[in-house]
Amino acid sequence: MEDCPVKYAFTVVSGKWKLQILWELNQQDMIRFNELQRRLAGISSFMLSKSLGELEQNKLIIREQYNEVPPRVEYSLTELGKAIHPALKMLGDWGTKVYNECQES
Amino acid sequence: MEDCPVKYAFTVVSGKWKLQILWELNQQDMIRFNELQRRLAGISSFMLSKSLGELEQNKLIIREQYNEVPPRVEYSLTELGKAIHPALKMLGDWGTKVYNECQES
DNA sequence: CCGAATCCGCCTCGATACTG
DNA sequence: CAGTATCGAGGCGGATTCGG
């Protein structure tokens, strides 16, 4: 979006659930829709479906659909999806510092 | 906020202008209100003031006020404010990859 | 020059109900 | 099991106006 890669990265993972979804997928590689919904306590199937769709569009995750009965769909991270985690870790470490700093005063 | 440092970091720099403000301050260390407003084309004084106030609360920037006529207020990054930039660079590099990947298809 | 107060439109989120 | 359709509520951004 526009001209700033950082902003673009933010928009890609913005939204109330995207980070958690990425986190869960990183723990498991390969997870089913309902299983994911169970782990993300509180998310509706609508929001989950929408978030997964956007992440798939941005090539962060892969959707694999098996035409069985009952239907089965599995989600997993792409290389791109895995590659964000080092950056998120750095941000997390920094976030911890900010948090501690703001508790003092 | 809550229990996730990454989420917390995101909320701290969330908002339409925070990243740009951090960027401008990183270019200049020490900048005045109006000068900053001029560089962030399109921002209202309301949003700028509000964003700066929140960044100050989170200890990312320092506000130095000189009681002169006319009044002068200067903003600069704290150590914490400077420390986010490596993490943002990583995210930016990743964002570039995502962008390129999505242009192909 | 710097910023606070108020009001308003839009977009995201989510509850509910329904489908293959 | 894995979604889609629809509708409504709330919060953020922004325009405008006013004060020190």
Side-chain angles (χ1 to χ4, degrees):
Chain A
M1 184 160 329
E2 308 164 45
D3 50 340
C4 178
V6 181
K7 262 194 188 175
Y8 181 75
F10 266 78
T11 70
V12 167
V13 297
S14 78
K16 194 174 182 184
W17 302 99
K18 300 260 183 77
L19 287 176
Q20 286 182 57
I21 291 173
L22 256 23
W23 175 261
E24 292 299 336
L25 286 181
N26 200 50
Q27 304 299 98
Q28 287 231 195
D29 61 36
M30 196 69 61
I31 189 171
R32 298 182 60 178
F33 188 91
N34 267 15
E35 168 72 9
L36 190 51
Q37 185 169 21
R38 241 171 287 126
R39 291 182 186 272
L40 303 175
I43 194 174
S44 66
S45 64
F46 173 75
M47 282 306 296
L48 180 53
S49 175
K50 187 184 167 197
S51 303
L52 287 170
E54 292 168 3
L55 289 173
E56 191 193 5
Q57 267 203 328
N58 292 121
K59 319 269 188 172
L60 301 203
I61 65 176
I62 296 195
R63 190 188 115 105
E64 197 102 30
Q65 176 169 354
Y66 304 89
N67 291 317
E68 307 169 346
V69 184
R72 181 162 60 102
V73 182
E74 290 180 345
Y75 295 91
S76 56
L77 290 179
T78 61
E79 288 309 312
L80 214 48
K82 292 174 189 167
I84 196 182
H85 279 86
L88 291 185
K89 178 164 182 4
M90 287 197 73
L91 250 183
D93 292 344
W94 178 82
T96 303
K97 282 189 204 166
V98 176
Y99 183 78
N100 292 334
E101 194 86 14
C102 290
Q103 292 317 81
E104 292 174 10
S105 56
Chain B
M1 186 161 327
E2 308 166 43
D3 50 340
C4 177
V6 181
K7 262 193 189 175
Y8 181 74
F10 266 78
T11 69
V12 168
V13 297
S14 78
K16 195 174 182 185
W17 303 98
K18 299 261 183 77
L19 287 176
Q20 285 181 58
I21 291 173
L22 257 23
W23 175 261
E24 292 299 336
L25 285 181
N26 199 50
Q27 304 299 96
Q28 286 230 196
D29 60 37
M30 195 70 59
I31 189 171
R32 298 183 59 178
F33 187 91
N34 267 14
E35 169 72 10
L36 190 51
Q37 185 169 22
R38 240 171 289 126
R39 290 183 186 272
L40 303 175
I43 194 174
S44 66
S45 64
F46 171 74
M47 282 307 295
L48 180 53
S49 176
K50 188 184 167 196
S51 304
L52 287 170
E54 292 168 4
L55 289 173
E56 191 195 3
Q57 267 203 329
N58 292 122
K59 319 270 189 173
L60 301 204
I61 65 176
I62 296 194
R63 191 189 116 105
E64 197 103 30
Q65 178 170 351
Y66 304 89
N67 291 318
E68 307 169 346
V69 184
R72 180 162 59 99
V73 182
E74 289 180 347
Y75 296 91
S76 56
L77 290 179
T78 62
E79 288 308 312
L80 213 49
K82 293 174 190 168
I84 196 183
H85 278 86
L88 290 186
K89 176 161 182 11
M90 285 197 72
L91 251 182
D93 292 343
W94 178 82
T96 303
K97 280 189 206 167
V98 177
Y99 183 79
N100 292 334
E101 194 85 14
C102 289
Q103 292 316 81
E104 291 174 10
S105 56

